[in-house]
Amino acid sequence: MVRKLKHHEQKLLRKVDLITYKSDGPSHRAADVRRRYHLTEPLDYDKYNGLAGKLRKLAHMLSNLDPSDPYRKEQESILLEKLWQMGIVKQSREQGAGLSAVEKDVTVSAFCRRRLGIIMVRSGMLEHVRTAHKFIEQGHVRVGTDVVTDPAFLVSRGMEDFITWVDGSKVQRQVLQYRDKLDDFDLL
């Protein structure tokens, strides 16, 4: 049986927060990113944050090497090229980016901007991220030849142009009907 708290116990407990800890730090940014990019999986933010931290740490370790070292130049260009192909940084090595771009531009939001639902909204296929995630989970979207059912699928720069509706999808039929481009022969 639970007893009722006395007045002085209630006053003490009012000042103590047993849910959040000081070591957690302010998580306003995490909540904003989760809301803006519709991160439904609770650990997605933490995974992206860990990945961004490791990439920043790698860039910092490379920047500690001698700038004229051929190993540093090779690894720096490989890292920047991969991140550019993924769409995480805005410029590749050839376009003038350096390791400072990795430390500045590699964030959780940069990874979230490459998620399939966000790319679909930016390209104009849909208006809302929540709707995009619903259609992705239902299997209405394909990237290249593969049907994607995971909203956390990261789309590289090369695959952006190959995002389409699955053949025979009711959503594709509705879009074509709305645009007056519906051809019954194509939908067979």
Side-chain angles (χ1 to χ4, degrees), residues 135-172:
F135 286 147
I136 292 167
E137 288 170 350
Q138 291 173 353
H140 289 288
V141 180
R142 68 183 170 120
V143 178
T145 58
D146 301 326
V147 176
V148 178
T149 57
D150 182 18
F153 183 81
L154 295 179
V155 181
S156 65
R157 285 185 195 270
M159 294 303 288
E160 271 184 27
D161 299 332
F162 300 107
I163 300 172
T164 58
W165 300 109
V166 172
D167 292 334
S169 171
K170 299 240 180 195
V171 177
Q172 180 190 27

PDB file of all heavy atoms in Angstrom, residues 135-172:
ATOM      1  N   PHE A 135       4.761   5.745 -46.933  1.00  0.00           N
ATOM      2  CA  PHE A 135       4.825   5.077 -48.229  1.00  0.00           C
ATOM      3  C   PHE A 135       6.060   4.187 -48.350  1.00  0.00           C
ATOM      4  O   PHE A 135       6.000   3.131 -48.984  1.00  0.00           O
ATOM      5  CB  PHE A 135       4.796   6.094 -49.368  1.00  0.00           C
ATOM      6  CG  PHE A 135       3.452   6.715 -49.590  1.00  0.00           C
ATOM      7  CD1 PHE A 135       3.348   8.020 -50.013  1.00  0.00           C
ATOM      8  CD2 PHE A 135       2.292   5.992 -49.376  1.00  0.00           C
ATOM      9  CE1 PHE A 135       2.101   8.594 -50.230  1.00  0.00           C
ATOM     10  CE2 PHE A 135       1.043   6.563 -49.588  1.00  0.00           C
ATOM     11  CZ  PHE A 135       0.955   7.863 -50.010  1.00  0.00           C
ATOM     12  N   ILE A 136       7.172   4.609 -47.758  1.00  0.00           N
ATOM     13  CA  ILE A 136       8.383   3.794 -47.793  1.00  0.00           C
ATOM     14  C   ILE A 136       8.157   2.497 -47.024  1.00  0.00           C
ATOM     15  O   ILE A 136       8.493   1.404 -47.501  1.00  0.00           O
ATOM     16  CB  ILE A 136       9.587   4.577 -47.218  1.00  0.00           C
ATOM     17  CG1 ILE A 136       9.964   5.736 -48.133  1.00  0.00           C
ATOM     18  CG2 ILE A 136      10.784   3.658 -47.026  1.00  0.00           C
ATOM     19  CD1 ILE A 136      10.903   6.735 -47.512  1.00  0.00           C
ATOM     20  N   GLU A 137       7.590   2.595 -45.835  1.00  0.00           N
ATOM     21  CA  GLU A 137       7.346   1.401 -45.028  1.00  0.00           C
ATOM     22  C   GLU A 137       6.345   0.459 -45.689  1.00  0.00           C
ATOM     23  O   GLU A 137       6.411  -0.748 -45.506  1.00  0.00           O
ATOM     24  CB  GLU A 137       6.849   1.797 -43.645  1.00  0.00           C
ATOM     25  CG  GLU A 137       7.925   2.406 -42.785  1.00  0.00           C
ATOM     26  CD  GLU A 137       7.396   3.011 -41.502  1.00  0.00           C
ATOM     27  OE1 GLU A 137       6.159   3.137 -41.355  1.00  0.00           O
ATOM     28  OE2 GLU A 137       8.223   3.357 -40.643  1.00  0.00           O
ATOM     29  N   GLN A 138       5.417   0.996 -46.471  1.00  0.00           N
ATOM     30  CA  GLN A 138       4.432   0.164 -47.152  1.00  0.00           C
ATOM     31  C   GLN A 138       4.976  -0.452 -48.432  1.00  0.00           C
ATOM     32  O   GLN A 138       4.309  -1.280 -49.049  1.00  0.00           O
ATOM     33  CB  GLN A 138       3.188   0.987 -47.466  1.00  0.00           C
ATOM     34  CG  GLN A 138       2.410   1.371 -46.238  1.00  0.00           C
ATOM     35  CD  GLN A 138       1.270   2.319 -46.544  1.00  0.00           C
ATOM     36  OE1 GLN A 138       1.123   2.795 -47.660  1.00  0.00           O
ATOM     37  NE2 GLN A 138       0.471   2.597 -45.534  1.00  0.00           N
ATOM     38  N   GLY A 139       6.180  -0.055 -48.858  1.00  0.00           N
ATOM     39  CA  GLY A 139       6.803  -0.666 -50.026  1.00  0.00           C
ATOM     40  C   GLY A 139       6.420  -0.033 -51.349  1.00  0.00           C
ATOM     41  O   GLY A 139       6.440  -0.699 -52.382  1.00  0.00           O
ATOM     42  N   HIS A 140       6.095   1.245 -51.374  1.00  0.00           N
ATOM     43  CA  HIS A 140       5.712   1.932 -52.609  1.00  0.00           C
ATOM     44  C   HIS A 140       6.897   2.584 -53.316  1.00  0.00           C
ATOM     45  O   HIS A 140       6.720   3.128 -54.409  1.00  0.00           O
ATOM     46  CB  HIS A 140       4.675   3.025 -52.314  1.00  0.00           C
ATOM     47  CG  HIS A 140       3.332   2.495 -51.941  1.00  0.00           C
ATOM     48  ND1 HIS A 140       2.488   1.899 -52.845  1.00  0.00           N
ATOM     49  CD2 HIS A 140       2.688   2.459 -50.750  1.00  0.00           C
ATOM     50  CE1 HIS A 140       1.377   1.532 -52.239  1.00  0.00           C
ATOM     51  NE2 HIS A 140       1.472   1.863 -50.966  1.00  0.00           N
ATOM     52  N   VAL A 141       8.083   2.555 -52.708  1.00  0.00           N
ATOM     53  CA  VAL A 141       9.223   3.310 -53.250  1.00  0.00           C
ATOM     54  C   VAL A 141      10.362   2.351 -53.576  1.00  0.00           C
ATOM     55  O   VAL A 141      10.624   1.403 -52.846  1.00  0.00           O
ATOM     56  CB  VAL A 141       9.707   4.361 -52.219  1.00  0.00           C
ATOM     57  CG1 VAL A 141      10.876   5.145 -52.756  1.00  0.00           C
ATOM     58  CG2 VAL A 141       8.570   5.279 -51.837  1.00  0.00           C
ATOM     59  N   ARG A 142      11.018   2.643 -54.694  1.00  0.00           N
ATOM     60  CA  ARG A 142      12.221   1.880 -55.025  1.00  0.00           C
ATOM     61  C   ARG A 142      13.348   2.846 -55.347  1.00  0.00           C
ATOM     62  O   ARG A 142      13.124   3.967 -55.814  1.00  0.00           O
ATOM     63  CB  ARG A 142      11.976   0.924 -56.176  1.00  0.00           C
ATOM     64  CG  ARG A 142      11.728   1.573 -57.494  1.00  0.00           C
ATOM     65  CD  ARG A 142      11.414   0.523 -58.558  1.00  0.00           C
ATOM     66  NE  ARG A 142      10.952   1.195 -59.759  1.00  0.00           N
ATOM     67  CZ  ARG A 142      11.561   1.102 -60.929  1.00  0.00           C
ATOM     68  NH1 ARG A 142      12.631   0.372 -61.064  1.00  0.00           N
ATOM     69  NH2 ARG A 142      11.087   1.756 -61.963  1.00  0.00           N
ATOM     70  N   VAL A 143      14.558   2.378 -55.069  1.00  0.00           N
ATOM     71  CA  VAL A 143      15.766   3.126 -55.408  1.00  0.00           C
ATOM     72  C   VAL A 143      16.544   2.242 -56.359  1.00  0.00           C
ATOM     73  O   VAL A 143      17.039   1.184 -55.970  1.00  0.00           O
ATOM     74  CB  VAL A 143      16.601   3.460 -54.158  1.00  0.00           C
ATOM     75  CG1 VAL A 143      17.864   4.199 -54.551  1.00  0.00           C
ATOM     76  CG2 VAL A 143      15.786   4.284 -53.181  1.00  0.00           C
ATOM     77  N   GLY A 144      16.619   2.660 -57.613  1.00  0.00           N
ATOM     78  CA  GLY A 144      17.206   1.807 -58.638  1.00  0.00           C
ATOM     79  C   GLY A 144      16.246   0.665 -58.919  1.00  0.00           C
ATOM     80  O   GLY A 144      15.091   0.886 -59.267  1.00  0.00           O
ATOM     81  N   THR A 145      16.701  -0.559 -58.732  1.00  0.00           N
ATOM     82  CA  THR A 145      15.836  -1.721 -58.951  1.00  0.00           C
ATOM     83  C   THR A 145      15.339  -2.323 -57.648  1.00  0.00           C
ATOM     84  O   THR A 145      14.522  -3.235 -57.671  1.00  0.00           O
ATOM     85  CB  THR A 145      16.590  -2.806 -59.728  1.00  0.00           C
ATOM     86  OG1 THR A 145      17.761  -3.169 -58.994  1.00  0.00           O
ATOM     87  CG2 THR A 145      16.977  -2.304 -61.110  1.00  0.00           C
ATOM     88  N   ASP A 146      15.817  -1.832 -56.517  1.00  0.00           N
ATOM     89  CA  ASP A 146      15.484  -2.417 -55.223  1.00  0.00           C
ATOM     90  C   ASP A 146      14.344  -1.661 -54.551  1.00  0.00           C
ATOM     91  O   ASP A 146      14.382  -0.429 -54.441  1.00  0.00           O
ATOM     92  CB  ASP A 146      16.705  -2.387 -54.289  1.00  0.00           C
ATOM     93  CG  ASP A 146      17.881  -3.146 -54.869  1.00  0.00           C
ATOM     94  OD1 ASP A 146      17.636  -4.160 -55.552  1.00  0.00           O
ATOM     95  OD2 ASP A 146      19.028  -2.730 -54.645  1.00  0.00           O
ATOM     96  N   VAL A 147      13.362  -2.415 -54.062  1.00  0.00           N
ATOM     97  CA  VAL A 147      12.286  -1.825 -53.273  1.00  0.00           C
ATOM     98  C   VAL A 147      12.829  -1.582 -51.871  1.00  0.00           C
ATOM     99  O   VAL A 147      13.436  -2.467 -51.259  1.00  0.00           O
ATOM    100  CB  VAL A 147      11.067  -2.767 -53.213  1.00  0.00           C
ATOM    101  CG1 VAL A 147       9.993  -2.189 -52.316  1.00  0.00           C
ATOM    102  CG2 VAL A 147      10.519  -2.998 -54.605  1.00  0.00           C
ATOM    103  N   VAL A 148      12.644  -0.379 -51.356  1.00  0.00           N
ATOM    104  CA  VAL A 148      13.169  -0.008 -50.052  1.00  0.00           C
ATOM    105  C   VAL A 148      12.002   0.132 -49.086  1.00  0.00           C
ATOM    106  O   VAL A 148      11.031   0.830 -49.367  1.00  0.00           O
ATOM    107  CB  VAL A 148      13.956   1.325 -50.139  1.00  0.00           C
ATOM    108  CG1 VAL A 148      14.467   1.732 -48.775  1.00  0.00           C
ATOM    109  CG2 VAL A 148      15.101   1.193 -51.111  1.00  0.00           C
ATOM    110  N   THR A 149      12.110  -0.544 -47.930  1.00  0.00           N
ATOM    111  CA  THR A 149      11.058  -0.443 -46.914  1.00  0.00           C
ATOM    112  C   THR A 149      11.590   0.148 -45.614  1.00  0.00           C
ATOM    113  O   THR A 149      10.870   0.192 -44.624  1.00  0.00           O
ATOM    114  CB  THR A 149      10.457  -1.834 -46.618  1.00  0.00           C
ATOM    115  OG1 THR A 149      11.506  -2.712 -46.218  1.00  0.00           O
ATOM    116  CG2 THR A 149       9.742  -2.386 -47.832  1.00  0.00           C
ATOM    117  N   ASP A 150      12.822   0.606 -45.623  1.00  0.00           N
ATOM    118  CA  ASP A 150      13.430   1.200 -44.430  1.00  0.00           C
ATOM    119  C   ASP A 150      13.539   2.709 -44.612  1.00  0.00           C
ATOM    120  O   ASP A 150      14.256   3.175 -45.496  1.00  0.00           O
ATOM    121  CB  ASP A 150      14.821   0.596 -44.207  1.00  0.00           C
ATOM    122  CG  ASP A 150      15.498   1.118 -42.959  1.00  0.00           C
ATOM    123  OD1 ASP A 150      14.787   1.667 -42.089  1.00  0.00           O
ATOM    124  OD2 ASP A 150      16.724   0.969 -42.843  1.00  0.00           O
ATOM    125  N   PRO A 151      12.830   3.505 -43.784  1.00  0.00           N
ATOM    126  CA  PRO A 151      12.910   4.965 -43.930  1.00  0.00           C
ATOM    127  C   PRO A 151      14.290   5.535 -43.610  1.00  0.00           C
ATOM    128  O   PRO A 151      14.603   6.653 -43.997  1.00  0.00           O
ATOM    129  CB  PRO A 151      11.882   5.498 -42.936  1.00  0.00           C
ATOM    130  CG  PRO A 151      11.122   4.342 -42.455  1.00  0.00           C
ATOM    131  CD  PRO A 151      11.870   3.110 -42.787  1.00  0.00           C
ATOM    132  N   ALA A 152      15.141   4.762 -42.929  1.00  0.00           N
ATOM    133  CA  ALA A 152      16.475   5.241 -42.571  1.00  0.00           C
ATOM    134  C   ALA A 152      17.491   4.981 -43.679  1.00  0.00           C
ATOM    135  O   ALA A 152      18.681   5.218 -43.488  1.00  0.00           O
ATOM    136  CB  ALA A 152      16.944   4.564 -41.279  1.00  0.00           C
ATOM    137  N   PHE A 153      17.048   4.544 -44.841  1.00  0.00           N
ATOM    138  CA  PHE A 153      17.932   4.282 -45.979  1.00  0.00           C
ATOM    139  C   PHE A 153      18.601   5.580 -46.399  1.00  0.00           C
ATOM    140  O   PHE A 153      17.930   6.573 -46.667  1.00  0.00           O
ATOM    141  CB  PHE A 153      17.112   3.693 -47.130  1.00  0.00           C
ATOM    142  CG  PHE A 153      17.910   3.310 -48.328  1.00  0.00           C
ATOM    143  CD1 PHE A 153      18.598   2.113 -48.367  1.00  0.00           C
ATOM    144  CD2 PHE A 153      17.974   4.145 -49.437  1.00  0.00           C
ATOM    145  CE1 PHE A 153      19.328   1.755 -49.486  1.00  0.00           C
ATOM    146  CE2 PHE A 153      18.700   3.803 -50.551  1.00  0.00           C
ATOM    147  CZ  PHE A 153      19.384   2.593 -50.576  1.00  0.00           C
ATOM    148  N   LEU A 154      19.945   5.581 -46.446  1.00  0.00           N
ATOM    149  CA  LEU A 154      20.693   6.775 -46.842  1.00  0.00           C
ATOM    150  C   LEU A 154      20.940   6.732 -48.349  1.00  0.00           C
ATOM    151  O   LEU A 154      21.453   5.750 -48.873  1.00  0.00           O
ATOM    152  CB  LEU A 154      22.020   6.860 -46.094  1.00  0.00           C
ATOM    153  CG  LEU A 154      21.927   7.042 -44.587  1.00  0.00           C
ATOM    154  CD1 LEU A 154      23.312   7.090 -43.971  1.00  0.00           C
ATOM    155  CD2 LEU A 154      21.161   8.292 -44.234  1.00  0.00           C
ATOM    156  N   VAL A 155      20.584   7.802 -49.020  1.00  0.00           N
ATOM    157  CA  VAL A 155      20.688   7.889 -50.474  1.00  0.00           C
ATOM    158  C   VAL A 155      21.937   8.678 -50.830  1.00  0.00           C
ATOM    159  O   VAL A 155      22.119   9.809 -50.377  1.00  0.00           O
ATOM    160  CB  VAL A 155      19.439   8.571 -51.064  1.00  0.00           C
ATOM    161  CG1 VAL A 155      19.536   8.648 -52.573  1.00  0.00           C
ATOM    162  CG2 VAL A 155      18.185   7.842 -50.643  1.00  0.00           C
ATOM    163  N   SER A 156      22.792   8.087 -51.662  1.00  0.00           N
ATOM    164  CA  SER A 156      23.997   8.789 -52.094  1.00  0.00           C
ATOM    165  C   SER A 156      23.655   9.735 -53.229  1.00  0.00           C
ATOM    166  O   SER A 156      22.556   9.710 -53.784  1.00  0.00           O
ATOM    167  CB  SER A 156      25.055   7.774 -52.546  1.00  0.00           C
ATOM    168  OG  SER A 156      24.592   7.087 -53.691  1.00  0.00           O
ATOM    169  N   ARG A 157      24.617  10.577 -53.595  1.00  0.00           N
ATOM    170  CA  ARG A 157      24.379  11.530 -54.690  1.00  0.00           C
ATOM    171  C   ARG A 157      24.085  10.819 -56.002  1.00  0.00           C
ATOM    172  O   ARG A 157      23.268  11.266 -56.797  1.00  0.00           O
ATOM    173  CB  ARG A 157      25.595  12.429 -54.880  1.00  0.00           C
ATOM    174  CG  ARG A 157      25.745  13.477 -53.822  1.00  0.00           C
ATOM    175  CD  ARG A 157      26.932  14.388 -54.178  1.00  0.00           C
ATOM    176  NE  ARG A 157      27.328  15.185 -53.044  1.00  0.00           N
ATOM    177  CZ  ARG A 157      26.825  16.387 -52.777  1.00  0.00           C
ATOM    178  NH1 ARG A 157      25.916  16.906 -53.553  1.00  0.00           N
ATOM    179  NH2 ARG A 157      27.238  17.048 -51.719  1.00  0.00           N
ATOM    180  N   GLY A 158      24.747   9.708 -56.239  1.00  0.00           N
ATOM    181  CA  GLY A 158      24.562   8.978 -57.486  1.00  0.00           C
ATOM    182  C   GLY A 158      23.208   8.303 -57.594  1.00  0.00           C
ATOM    183  O   GLY A 158      22.720   8.051 -58.704  1.00  0.00           O
ATOM    184  N   MET A 159      22.596   7.980 -56.474  1.00  0.00           N
ATOM    185  CA  MET A 159      21.320   7.267 -56.500  1.00  0.00           C
ATOM    186  C   MET A 159      20.110   8.188 -56.390  1.00  0.00           C
ATOM    187  O   MET A 159      18.976   7.723 -56.460  1.00  0.00           O
ATOM    188  CB  MET A 159      21.278   6.236 -55.364  1.00  0.00           C
ATOM    189  CG  MET A 159      22.282   5.116 -55.517  1.00  0.00           C
ATOM    190  SD  MET A 159      22.117   4.220 -57.068  1.00  0.00           S
ATOM    191  CE  MET A 159      20.623   3.313 -56.779  1.00  0.00           C
ATOM    192  N   GLU A 160      20.327   9.484 -56.210  1.00  0.00           N
ATOM    193  CA  GLU A 160      19.212  10.432 -56.076  1.00  0.00           C
ATOM    194  C   GLU A 160      18.273  10.398 -57.269  1.00  0.00           C
ATOM    195  O   GLU A 160      17.059  10.506 -57.114  1.00  0.00           O
ATOM    196  CB  GLU A 160      19.740  11.861 -55.922  1.00  0.00           C
ATOM    197  CG  GLU A 160      20.003  12.284 -54.526  1.00  0.00           C
ATOM    198  CD  GLU A 160      20.436  13.740 -54.468  1.00  0.00           C
ATOM    199  OE1 GLU A 160      20.056  14.527 -55.352  1.00  0.00           O
ATOM    200  OE2 GLU A 160      21.155  14.092 -53.531  1.00  0.00           O
ATOM    201  N   ASP A 161      18.832  10.246 -58.460  1.00  0.00           N
ATOM    202  CA  ASP A 161      18.030  10.310 -59.675  1.00  0.00           C
ATOM    203  C   ASP A 161      17.229   9.046 -59.926  1.00  0.00           C
ATOM    204  O   ASP A 161      16.386   9.014 -60.822  1.00  0.00           O
ATOM    205  CB  ASP A 161      18.932  10.588 -60.885  1.00  0.00           C
ATOM    206  CG  ASP A 161      19.649  11.917 -60.766  1.00  0.00           C
ATOM    207  OD1 ASP A 161      19.097  12.820 -60.105  1.00  0.00           O
ATOM    208  OD2 ASP A 161      20.751  12.054 -61.321  1.00  0.00           O
ATOM    209  N   PHE A 162      17.494   7.996 -59.165  1.00  0.00           N
ATOM    210  CA  PHE A 162      16.849   6.709 -59.407  1.00  0.00           C
ATOM    211  C   PHE A 162      15.756   6.389 -58.386  1.00  0.00           C
ATOM    212  O   PHE A 162      15.354   5.246 -58.244  1.00  0.00           O
ATOM    213  CB  PHE A 162      17.893   5.596 -59.429  1.00  0.00           C
ATOM    214  CG  PHE A 162      18.921   5.793 -60.505  1.00  0.00           C
ATOM    215  CD1 PHE A 162      20.213   6.176 -60.177  1.00  0.00           C
ATOM    216  CD2 PHE A 162      18.593   5.621 -61.833  1.00  0.00           C
ATOM    217  CE1 PHE A 162      21.158   6.369 -61.162  1.00  0.00           C
ATOM    218  CE2 PHE A 162      19.529   5.811 -62.821  1.00  0.00           C
ATOM    219  CZ  PHE A 162      20.825   6.184 -62.499  1.00  0.00           C
ATOM    220  N   ILE A 163      15.275   7.388 -57.676  1.00  0.00           N
ATOM    221  CA  ILE A 163      14.184   7.191 -56.719  1.00  0.00           C
ATOM    222  C   ILE A 163      12.862   7.320 -57.472  1.00  0.00           C
ATOM    223  O   ILE A 163      12.572   8.378 -58.030  1.00  0.00           O
ATOM    224  CB  ILE A 163      14.247   8.223 -55.579  1.00  0.00           C
ATOM    225  CG1 ILE A 163      15.563   8.100 -54.813  1.00  0.00           C
ATOM    226  CG2 ILE A 163      13.069   8.043 -54.633  1.00  0.00           C
ATOM    227  CD1 ILE A 163      15.791   9.198 -53.814  1.00  0.00           C
ATOM    228  N   THR A 164      12.101   6.248 -57.503  1.00  0.00           N
ATOM    229  CA  THR A 164      10.822   6.251 -58.202  1.00  0.00           C
ATOM    230  C   THR A 164       9.806   5.432 -57.424  1.00  0.00           C
ATOM    231  O   THR A 164      10.133   4.794 -56.430  1.00  0.00           O
ATOM    232  CB  THR A 164      10.942   5.639 -59.621  1.00  0.00           C
ATOM    233  OG1 THR A 164      11.437   4.312 -59.499  1.00  0.00           O
ATOM    234  CG2 THR A 164      11.849   6.455 -60.505  1.00  0.00           C
ATOM    235  N   TRP A 165       8.579   5.441 -57.928  1.00  0.00           N
ATOM    236  CA  TRP A 165       7.535   4.605 -57.354  1.00  0.00           C
ATOM    237  C   TRP A 165       7.691   3.196 -57.886  1.00  0.00           C
ATOM    238  O   TRP A 165       8.187   2.987 -58.991  1.00  0.00           O
ATOM    239  CB  TRP A 165       6.153   5.142 -57.716  1.00  0.00           C
ATOM    240  CG  TRP A 165       5.894   6.528 -57.226  1.00  0.00           C
ATOM    241  CD1 TRP A 165       5.799   7.653 -57.979  1.00  0.00           C
ATOM    242  CD2 TRP A 165       5.701   6.944 -55.871  1.00  0.00           C
ATOM    243  NE1 TRP A 165       5.565   8.745 -57.181  1.00  0.00           N
ATOM    244  CE2 TRP A 165       5.496   8.325 -55.882  1.00  0.00           C
ATOM    245  CE3 TRP A 165       5.686   6.274 -54.650  1.00  0.00           C
ATOM    246  CZ2 TRP A 165       5.279   9.062 -54.722  1.00  0.00           C
ATOM    247  CZ3 TRP A 165       5.466   7.004 -53.501  1.00  0.00           C
ATOM    248  CH2 TRP A 165       5.263   8.373 -53.540  1.00  0.00           C
ATOM    249  N   VAL A 166       7.272   2.227 -57.124  1.00  0.00           N
ATOM    250  CA  VAL A 166       7.302   0.834 -57.552  1.00  0.00           C
ATOM    251  C   VAL A 166       6.317   0.666 -58.705  1.00  0.00           C
ATOM    252  O   VAL A 166       5.247   1.277 -58.710  1.00  0.00           O
ATOM    253  CB  VAL A 166       6.922  -0.097 -56.371  1.00  0.00           C
ATOM    254  CG1 VAL A 166       6.750  -1.526 -56.825  1.00  0.00           C
ATOM    255  CG2 VAL A 166       7.963  -0.012 -55.287  1.00  0.00           C
ATOM    256  N   ASP A 167       6.685  -0.140 -59.696  1.00  0.00           N
ATOM    257  CA  ASP A 167       5.784  -0.375 -60.825  1.00  0.00           C
ATOM    258  C   ASP A 167       4.505  -1.028 -60.318  1.00  0.00           C
ATOM    259  O   ASP A 167       4.531  -1.980 -59.554  1.00  0.00           O
ATOM    260  CB  ASP A 167       6.451  -1.282 -61.865  1.00  0.00           C
ATOM    261  CG  ASP A 167       7.620  -0.592 -62.545  1.00  0.00           C
ATOM    262  OD1 ASP A 167       7.610   0.649 -62.590  1.00  0.00           O
ATOM    263  OD2 ASP A 167       8.543  -1.292 -63.007  1.00  0.00           O
ATOM    264  N   GLY A 168       3.370  -0.508 -60.770  1.00  0.00           N
ATOM    265  CA  GLY A 168       2.083  -1.038 -60.356  1.00  0.00           C
ATOM    266  C   GLY A 168       1.601  -0.494 -59.024  1.00  0.00           C
ATOM    267  O   GLY A 168       0.603  -0.952 -58.489  1.00  0.00           O
ATOM    268  N   SER A 169       2.279   0.489 -58.484  1.00  0.00           N
ATOM    269  CA  SER A 169       1.878   1.070 -57.206  1.00  0.00           C
ATOM    270  C   SER A 169       0.640   1.934 -57.388  1.00  0.00           C
ATOM    271  O   SER A 169       0.501   2.659 -58.377  1.00  0.00           O
ATOM    272  CB  SER A 169       3.017   1.921 -56.647  1.00  0.00           C
ATOM    273  OG  SER A 169       2.595   2.658 -55.531  1.00  0.00           O
ATOM    274  N   LYS A 170      -0.265   1.859 -56.428  1.00  0.00           N
ATOM    275  CA  LYS A 170      -1.476   2.680 -56.485  1.00  0.00           C
ATOM    276  C   LYS A 170      -1.129   4.165 -56.360  1.00  0.00           C
ATOM    277  O   LYS A 170      -1.815   5.017 -56.913  1.00  0.00           O
ATOM    278  CB  LYS A 170      -2.439   2.283 -55.374  1.00  0.00           C
ATOM    279  CG  LYS A 170      -2.889   0.859 -55.476  1.00  0.00           C
ATOM    280  CD  LYS A 170      -4.345   0.802 -55.632  1.00  0.00           C
ATOM    281  CE  LYS A 170      -4.761  -0.653 -55.721  1.00  0.00           C
ATOM    282  NZ  LYS A 170      -6.071  -0.822 -56.194  1.00  0.00           N
ATOM    283  N   VAL A 171      -0.059   4.470 -55.651  1.00  0.00           N
ATOM    284  CA  VAL A 171       0.368   5.861 -55.504  1.00  0.00           C
ATOM    285  C   VAL A 171       0.831   6.394 -56.855  1.00  0.00           C
ATOM    286  O   VAL A 171       0.483   7.511 -57.245  1.00  0.00           O
ATOM    287  CB  VAL A 171       1.480   5.981 -54.441  1.00  0.00           C
ATOM    288  CG1 VAL A 171       1.971   7.403 -54.345  1.00  0.00           C
ATOM    289  CG2 VAL A 171       1.001   5.475 -53.100  1.00  0.00           C
ATOM    290  N   GLN A 172       1.607   5.589 -57.566  1.00  0.00           N
ATOM    291  CA  GLN A 172       2.059   6.003 -58.898  1.00  0.00           C
ATOM    292  C   GLN A 172       0.861   6.227 -59.818  1.00  0.00           C
ATOM    293  O   GLN A 172       0.816   7.199 -60.579  1.00  0.00           O
ATOM    294  CB  GLN A 172       2.974   4.950 -59.496  1.00  0.00           C
ATOM    295  CG  GLN A 172       3.479   5.309 -60.880  1.00  0.00           C
ATOM    296  CD  GLN A 172       4.192   4.152 -61.553  1.00  0.00           C
ATOM    297  OE1 GLN A 172       3.920   2.992 -61.277  1.00  0.00           O
ATOM    298  NE2 GLN A 172       5.114   4.473 -62.434  1.00  0.00           N
TER     299      GLN A 172
END
